Amino acid sequence: MPSRIGVAVAITALTLLMPMPTAAAAAQDTNSSARPLVSASAGQARTQDGPTWPQLRARVVGTLEEDGVARAMNKHGDVPFRTEQGDPLVWNAVTGKRRALEGAANANPTDIADDGRVVGVRAGQGVVLWNADGTLTTPGLPDGETSAGMARVGEDGTLLVTASHQFIGWPGGHPRVATSYYRWRPETGFKHLAGPGDGSYTAALNDEGLVVGWRSDTGTAWRPDGTEATYAGSVPGTTRTWLHGVNDSGTAVGGEIRPDGTAAAIRWDAPNTPQRLTDEGFGGEALDITERGWITGTVRAIAGGGSLPVVWDPHGGTHRLDRMLELPEGSSVQSIDAVNDHNQLLLRIRDAASHRTSVMVVQLV
């Protein structure tokens, strides 16, 4: 099962609002790790070695018009969400069926495992976990924290939890929020990973308990044994790297800021082996990767333009969602929130006329 994406909108907007590469910077891109993995073409995606991947199509499987939908989907196409009435449920895009999550009304589901376990957060009570058999486990909150903002679940039972509390830094000052990141296991409880105040953010968790994100502008992985690894840039002078996704083999994806200020989507098979993914000339970043090597993310097609959701196939070819999917006039793909090993994507769709957002599961064919 692939990792799920954390909150990616803010970092996408930050990293993609960059100037286009200069000719001098392009001339410096001479080492193999800095070259794009593929050359883009109009109809098919070609790798440097020559093989092609047919032009992809996206077939709609199902649509859910609810506001409280988690940015998560398992290999069966199950998506957790909360209704406007506060009821937590799971929706299957293939069958259209729904199942209720009992025992924790008004909880907000945030992630789902392949075996059907769902994790979420509940105001005042912290983290809740619906087990595959329907029973409820309540990990609650780490000591000293007052709220939980996000929780992810791995197949090994590990949870990745974001928790926070308020404090006043000086007499008469305004309350401020301090956020920390924790790993939770049934046998050990909560263990602090990072934060507050150290420039860290944890973005994703794989099924082996490996957590990825960044610390102090450097892509970082927190291993299950308690050690950390940092991830290098693809060119000398890279000023920033970050990780957004990781699969069960430990292959991580994210991005970097290059010396000329441009952003690039990067894949790491190991911390010291960065490989740039192709874009359309104006930057990008990668957000998630499956065990089969399919990668989701964004690129920019024009200088100063918005980010466009894309898929990189296992050969490295880039496929834009706006070219694969026919949507009603005025609708657009806002983000790819999840991808599973059956090549299903969870998309967030925005209707310009009604200003409503819905989610759609599509099958890549």
Side-chain angles (χ1 to χ4, degrees):
M1 171 182 168
S3 64
R4 272 77 53 187
I5 306 173
V7 178
V9 175
I11 188 65
T12 299
L14 174 65
T15 58
L16 293 185
L17 292 177
M18 300 294 175
M20 65 179 291
T22 64
Q28 294 174 355
D29 267 359
T30 57
N31 63 65
S32 59
S33 64
R35 297 191 190 108
L37 291 180
V38 305
S39 300
S41 62
Q44 294 180 325
R46 291 197 304 269
T47 69
Q48 291 176 333
D49 296 329
T52 62
W53 194 280
Q55 183 69 25
L56 287 176
R57 293 181 295 110
R59 177 177 57 83
V60 177
V61 178
T63 301
L64 182 65
E65 295 186 357
E66 295 282 354
D67 292 330
V69 182
R71 298 177 183 269
M73 176 176 60
N74 67 11
K75 70 178 182 180
H76 307 293
D78 293 329
V79 178
F81 72 100
R82 187 176 71 172
T83 67
E84 293 182 0
Q85 293 73 35
D87 300 318
L89 289 89
V90 172
W91 166 68
N92 184 274
V94 177
T95 65
K97 294 182 178 180
R98 303 184 179 194
R99 66 178 174 92
L101 298 170
E102 305 291 347
N106 294 311
N108 184 30
T110 57
D111 200 12
I112 186 167
D114 286 343
D115 65 3
R117 285 173 297 167
V118 177
V119 67
V121 296
R122 191 178 186 186
Q125 299 184 26
V127 180
V128 295
L129 176 66
W130 292 273
N131 301 304
D133 62 1
T135 60
L136 193 68
T137 300
T138 54
L141 287 166
D143 291 341
E145 306 293 4
T146 58
S147 64
M150 180 61 66
R152 300 294 184 192
V153 58
E155 291 297 324
D156 67 344
T158 299
L159 302 183
L160 174 61
V161 176
T162 302
S164 60
H165 65 275
Q166 289 190 341
F167 71 100
I168 297 177
W170 60 89
H174 295 289
R176 302 171 63 187
V177 176
T179 301
S180 293
Y181 307 94
Y182 296 85
R183 180 188 279 122
W184 180 89
R185 292 192 180 101
E187 62 274 11
T188 60
F190 289 103
K191 296 292 183 182
H192 183 268
L193 287 179
D198 61 0
S200 296
Y201 182 86
T202 62
L205 166 75
N206 75 1
D207 290 335
E208 308 300 322
L210 180 68
V211 175
V212 299
W214 58 89
R215 186 199 292 276
S216 299
D217 291 338
T218 302
T220 303
W222 292 264
R223 300 186 180 108
D225 64 5
T227 61
E228 297 182 16
T230 58
Y231 286 68
S234 69
V235 295
T238 297
T239 62
R240 182 182 178 195
T241 61
W242 62 92
L243 309 182
H244 260 309
V246 62
N247 65 16
D248 294 343
S249 298
T251 300
V253 295
E256 68 181 12
I257 301 296
R258 317 193 110 202
D260 62 358
T262 59
I266 305 294
R267 166 181 170 153
W268 287 269
D269 293 321
N272 61 346
T273 62
Q275 304 171 70
R276 182 180 176 182
L277 299 170
T278 191
D279 56 45
E280 299 201 354
F282 301 94
E285 71 170 336
L287 298 176
D288 204 357
I289 181 170
T290 73
E291 193 63 22
R292 298 179 180 181
W294 291 82
I295 299 172
T296 62
T298 60
V299 299
R300 288 173 65 194
I302 59 173
S307 59
L308 300 170
V310 298
V311 175
W312 286 276
D313 64 50
H315 292 320
T318 309
H319 306 266
R320 282 171 43 176
L321 265 292
D322 61 337
R323 293 172 175 169
M324 288 192 290
L325 193 62
E326 294 185 4
L327 296 174
E329 185 176 356
S331 296
S332 61
V333 180
Q334 296 297 292
S335 61
I336 305 174
D337 289 348
V339 56
N340 65 21
D341 282 324
H342 293 299
N343 289 357
Q344 292 175 332
L345 304 177
L346 179 65
L347 308 179
R348 203 159 293 263
I349 308 296
R350 176 75 170 176
D351 183 88
S354 66
H355 303 291
R356 288 188 59 86
T357 300
S358 60
V359 298
M360 178 183 293
V361 173
V362 301
Q363 177 73 56
L364 298 181
V365 293

